[in-house]
Amino acid sequence: MGGDRVATKGPVPKRSDQRRRRNENPEGIPTTEVPRIGATVDAPPLGFVTHDLAMDFYASLARSEQAHYFEPSDWQAARILTMELGRMLNAGKPSGQLYTALWSAMGDLLATEGQRRRLRFEIDRTPSGGEDKQNAAVIDLAKRLGMA
């Protein structure tokens, strides 16, 4: 999940299609729109049984579009996060400090909308928009390379 992107500070920005001025980008960070292609990424098996909510969280990561960018180390981080989340949910008196750490770890995996927006990472869920944008990007690349 590494890269040279830097998250913005302050309140969560609006999606690019909800901004009044589409050209306004004070941080100078371009928005990456990820088309929804529909392919499901196979996550490694969780390998243990824990709280139902924690297991649902792990399963939801595999169905998320950002999972296309996960490396093996990201999946291992997700497994550790799921284990600790399950422990917290099963505890009689969960820790606020642990909750904060887990929420931060979820953001590191781009599992929260706020963190995706801060990184200008948007998922296009329009039925045909994703395929059209992908085809347009391939055509544009071919033109720039002098192949079309």
Side-chain angles (χ1 to χ4, degrees), residues 38-57:
T40 303
V41 175
D42 293 330
L46 187 55
F48 55 88
V49 177
T50 187
H51 194 280
D52 287 343
L53 287 175
M55 292 191 314
D56 288 347
F57 168 74

Side-chain angles (χ1 to χ4, degrees), residues 15-17 22 31-38 64-66 68-69 113 116 120-136:
R15 291 182 61 95
S16 61
D17 59 357
R22 300 281 311 236
T31 299
T32 302
E33 291 189 15
V34 181
R36 187 178 197 305
I37 299 170
S64 299
E65 290 301 319
Q66 72 270 15
H68 290 284
Y69 299 98
E113 178 71 11
R116 287 191 297 273
R120 306 279 188 214
F121 187 93
E122 296 178 3
I123 297 170
D124 181 6
R125 293 206 176 261
T126 57
S128 64
E131 192 173 314
D132 292 343
K133 285 182 182 178
Q134 185 179 21
N135 291 340

